[in-house]
Amino acid sequence: PYVLRIVQDIEEVRAAAELGVALLMFALGIHLSFRELRQVQRVAVIGGAIQVLLTIGLGLAVGAAFDWDPAQAAFFGALMALSSTMVVLKVLQERGELDSLYGRITVGLLVIQDLSVVPLMVIMPTLGGRGGDTLTELGIAVAKAALVLGATVILGTRLVPAVLFRVAATHSRELFLLTVVSMGLGAAIATFFLGLSLAFGAFIGGMLISESEFRHQTLAEVLPLRDVFATVFFVSIGMLLDPRFVVDNWVAIAVVVAALLIGKFAICSVIPLLFRYPAKVALFTGLALIQMGEFSFVLARVGVETGTLSEYHYSLALTAAIATMVLTPWLMQTGPSVYVFVAGLPLVGALVKELEPEPTEDVSGLSNHVVICGYGDVGRTLAQVLEGRGLKYLAIDYDPHAIMDLR
C-alpha cells in the first residue's frame, strides 16, 4: 500500500494480519498446557500484573519526553506492556527451551499479558473521556474472560478428549484434522461474539486441545501449516509499514525502541528476581520479553477507533513492534554470552553470584557421570564450564552423522 501500491485497501491487509495471527496463535496454543503453567503460576499472575503496570509507567515517561497527553502516554504504555507470544514461543520452540525454567516463566508472563488485553480494552478508551460506566463494563469483560477460561478447563479435561478419542478411532486423518480445526475456529468465533479478541479465542482453543492425550497427534497435523500462518501475519504487518513514516519520525522510533530494549528489559528481568529465581533465569526472561506484540496492534486499533490514540501513535507502535520483533531472536541467542559478560564485571558480577542459588548437595566427589543437553547456547556454555575445570566431554550435534566436538 505504501511502496508499490498494488494493494489499495488497508483494511483488507489488516484483516489478513488478524486472520494470520489467529491461526498461528491456535497452533501455538496447542504447545501449551494449563498443567505446565501451574508450576509458575505465582510469578506469572502476580509478576505479570506488576510488569504490565510498571510498563504503563514506562509509557508515561516516554510520553512526557514527547509532551503527549497523559491519556495517550498511558495507552501507549499499555501497548508496550504486551509482548509477542507468537514470536517468543516460536523462538523457544526452535531453540528447544520451551520446557526450561525461564521458558515456563516467560510463557506464564505472556499468557497473563494476553489475558490483560481484556480489561485494557475496557479501561484504556475511557482515559480519553469516552466510554460509559467503566466499572460495569470492566466487570462484564472480566466475567466474559472468566467464562471462557472456565469453559476451556471443563471442556479441555472432559469433553474434548472424549470427542477426539471417538474421532481418532475412525483412523481418518482428514476427519481428525477437520475436527481439530473446527474446535479452534469455534473457540475463536465464540470469544469474538463475546466481545473478546479473535486471536485470543484461537489461542484458548489451542490450549483446550492441548489438555487432551491427542496433543502430539494434533501438532503433527497442524505444524505444517504453522509457517504458512506466520507468513500471512508477517507479510501483512510488513505491508502496513510506511517507509516515509520511518524516515520522518526516526527519532521517536529510536526512543521507543530504546525504551523497550532498556526499560522493558529491566522490568521483565526484575520480576523473576522478586520471586527468588536465579539471576540467569531473570536475564533470559527479560531478553525474551523486550518486544511489542501482536495484541498491541489489536489494542492500538481500539485506541484509534475510540479517539484516544491517533494514527501517528498507531504507526509508531507498529514500527517499534516490527523493529523489536526482528531483534528478539538475536537477543535471545546472545543470552548466555550476555550472562557470562555480566557475571565477569567487578561489582555487578558479585551481585549476580549472590543471586544464584546454592547447590542443594555436595557434588565435589562425584565422577563418571553424564550430563545430556542440547548442543545450542546452553550446551556451548556448559562446554566452556567443563573446559575451564579441565573435564572431558563429548558434544554431539542433533544430526547423528555430525560430531561437533570430541575429547
Side-chain angles (χ1 to χ4, degrees), residues 329-386:
W330 177 77
L331 289 171
M332 293 178 67
Q333 184 178 0
T334 61
S337 300
V338 173
Y339 175 78
V340 171
F341 172 76
V342 172
L345 297 176
L347 298 178
V348 181
L351 178 61
V352 168
K353 292 178 181 178
E354 289 182 5
L355 294 173
E356 292 297 343
E358 294 293 332
T360 56
E361 57 182 323
D362 183 15
V363 296
S364 58
L366 296 180
S367 62
N368 297 325
H369 278 65
V370 177
V371 179
I372 302 176
C373 70
Y375 194 75
D377 291 327
V378 176
R380 282 189 286 273
T381 303
L382 176 61
Q384 293 174 2
V385 173
L386 295 177

Side-chain angles (χ1 to χ4, degrees), residues 138-169:
L138 179 59
I140 294 174
V142 172
K144 290 178 180 178
L147 176 64
V148 171
L149 293 176
T152 301
V153 174
I154 295 173
L155 295 177
T157 55
R158 299 178 182 274
L159 180 61
V160 171
V163 171
L164 292 181
F165 180 82
R166 295 292 298 272
V167 173

Side-chain angles (χ1 to χ4, degrees), residues 69-119:
D69 182 87
Q72 294 177 334
F75 205 124
F76 200 86
L79 304 183
M80 297 172 64
L82 305 176
S83 301
S84 176
T85 304
M86 179 175 58
V87 172
V88 175
L89 287 186
K90 196 170 189 306
V91 175
L92 287 174
Q93 290 164 9
E94 292 176 349
R95 293 170 55 83
E97 296 175 350
L98 192 58
D99 294 324
S100 65
L101 179 57
Y102 100 88
R104 292 198 301 271
I105 294 175
T106 299
V107 171
L109 291 172
L110 287 169
V111 171
I112 296 303
Q113 288 179 4
D114 294 344
L115 291 175
S116 69
V117 174
V118 177

